[in-house]
Amino acid sequence: MSEALVAALAEAWEQGEALAPLPAGMSPADVAAAEEVAAALVERLGHPVIGIRLAPAPGGSWVAAPLLGPRLLRAATPVALPALRHPRLSAAVIGVLAVPLAEAPPSFSALHPAVDVAADRYRDGPADAAQAVADLASLGLVLAGKRGPGVLPERAEARIGPTGTRPRPVQENLRALMDQAAAAGRRWGGLPAGALLVLAGLGGTRAAAPGKWSAAIGGVGRVSVVLTGSVDEPAQQGEGP
C-alpha cells in the first residue's frame, strides 16, 4: 500500500487541493491494492462508515467503496457546485439493510430514490478504476429522497435530467447491481442492520449544472435536488470534496 497516496488523498479531502497526475509507483497496481488505500484513508479521515456505495468507474467497470456519514444528505439540502471537483450527477437507489449482511441476498427495510453527485480529488479525474477506488469510488454527495416501496425491482428504468425535461430512460439491472454491492460489503467486512447499500450511476451520468434536477427510478420513486453556484475549482478551505 502507498502511504504517500493515502497522505496525499487525505490532504485533498481535508484541504480541497487537487492531486496532479500520480507519479510512477504511487498509483495502486490494481483494485485490491486500491481498497487497502481506501481503507487507510477512511481510518485517517475518521468519519463513520454508514454503508457501501457502488458506482461506475473509468473503463466501464463498477467499483465499490465505503460511504462516509457526512456525505449522505437529505434531498432538500442545496448543493454548492463550487465545493465539488468535476461533479457528475446520476440517479441512485439506497437500500437500508433489514438484517446484517450475510451470504444470502440482502434484505431491506426500506428503499429510497436518490441523486448521486460524484466528485474527485484528482485534478484530472481518476486515470483508472484503481485510482477511483482509492478515492472512495469518486464519492461526492448522496442526496436521499423519501422512502419508497421496500421491494427492489429486478429491473427498472432510471432517468435523470433538469426538472421539466424528460430524459431518455436507461434500463438498469437493479438486482444484479445490488448483489454486486452486497458482495462488496461482505468483502469490506460486512455491514450491520440499518447500514446502507447504495447504487449510484443509474440512468446515465450527467455533467452537473446549476438549477433543479430530478431523478426517477421505476418501482423505487422520484427525487429532486437543487444545485447552486457554478462548476469552478473547489474553495480550498475546510474539508474538501
Side-chain angles (χ1 to χ4, degrees), residues 31-237:
V31 169
E35 289 181 346
E36 294 183 4
V37 172
L41 175 62
V42 168
E43 184 175 358
R44 184 167 301 200
L45 293 176
H47 296 304
V49 172
I50 59 172
I52 291 292
R53 171 176 163 273
L54 185 75
S61 62
W62 291 79
V63 297
L67 173 63
L68 304 182
R71 297 293 165 147
L72 178 68
L73 302 174
R74 294 182 182 275
T77 308
V79 174
L81 290 176
L84 301 166
R85 180 171 287 103
H86 306 311
R88 291 96 62 199
L89 304 181
S90 63
V93 172
I94 300 172
V96 183
L97 289 171
V99 296
L101 190 60
E103 291 306 314
S107 174
F108 300 112
S109 61
L111 296 172
H112 295 260
V115 171
D116 185 84
V117 187
D120 302 309
R121 268 47 59 177
Y122 304 107
R123 186 191 68 195
D124 301 330
D128 53 30
Q131 286 192 12
V133 170
D135 190 27
L136 304 187
S138 298
L139 174 62
L141 298 168
V142 179
L143 300 153
K146 294 181 180 180
R147 177 175 177 166
V151 179
L152 184 73
E154 188 81 20
R155 296 171 59 87
E157 288 187 346
R159 67 177 81 220
I160 184 166
T163 301
T165 66
R166 190 167 178 81
R168 185 175 181 176
V170 177
Q171 187 74 217
E172 303 284 7
N173 294 316
L174 296 185
R175 176 55 64 184
L177 289 172
M178 195 62 84
D179 287 344
Q180 190 172 337
R186 297 182 193 101
R187 191 170 65 253
W188 279 93
L191 293 169
L196 310 180
L197 291 178
V198 177
L199 305 182
L202 306 179
T205 300
R206 305 285 297 273
K212 189 174 183 180
W213 289 72
S214 297
I217 304 97
V220 178
R222 300 173 179 269
V223 57
S224 295
V225 301
V226 175
L227 310 182
T228 65
S230 58
V231 183
D232 298 316
E233 284 303 300
Q236 296 182 10
Q237 59 182 18

